[in-house]
């Protein structure tokens, strides 16, 4: 990100196919990526990357994945991955309670998803 908005994931919504490999590359220091409990599909593996650590995931299970930067969760550094265009667990993902600006940030991402679907 640039200096104005360092606490963002780019892109905030990532769409991939089942079996694709996703790598989070730290471009600014002080960030990580971690799946959020309750926000990944049934059977999918949770992840919790170290600060400034690249994380590579194989997206084997279709569905919506919500993830966060642990240190910047409360300021709304969150993202979504949609695997295989499968939104079947979206209601579960939406139902997870969020704190601080993460609530607003996730809500904006869900609205963007809704817009893209229609």
């Amino acid at each position: 990100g640039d200096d104005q908005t360092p606490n963002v994931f780019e892109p905030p919504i990532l769409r991939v196919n089942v079996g694709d490999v996703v790598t989070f590359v730290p471009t600014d220091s002080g960030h990580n990526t971690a799946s959020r409990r309750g926000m990944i599909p049934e059977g999918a593996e949770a992840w919790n990357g170290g600060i400034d650590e690249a994380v590579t995931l194989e997206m084997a299970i279709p569905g919506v994945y919500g993830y966060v930067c642990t240190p910047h969760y409360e300021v709304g550094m969150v993202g979504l991955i949609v695997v295989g265009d499968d939104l079947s667990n979206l209601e579960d993902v939406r139902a997870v309670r969020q704190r601080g600006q993460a609530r607003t940030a996730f809500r904006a991402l869900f609205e963007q998803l809704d817009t893209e679907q229609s």
Side-chain angles (χ1 to χ4, degrees), residues 6-9 30-35 51 67-79 106:
N7 297 328
V8 295
F9 288 104
H31 302 298
N32 82 329
T33 172
S35 56
I51 302 292
Y67 65 92
V68 306
C69 168
T70 310
H72 300 106
Y73 165 73
E74 301 256 352
V75 298
M77 185 168 175
V78 303
F106 270 125

Side-chain angles (χ1 to χ4, degrees), residues 49-88:
I51 302 292
D52 298 334
E53 183 181 279
V55 173
T56 298
L57 307 169
E58 188 177 337
M59 311 310 290
I61 297 189
V64 180
Y65 294 69
Y67 65 92
V68 306
C69 168
T70 310
H72 300 106
Y73 165 73
E74 301 256 352
V75 298
M77 185 168 175
V78 303
L80 293 176
I81 303 174
V82 180
V83 180
D85 249 338
D86 182 344
L87 301 179
S88 57

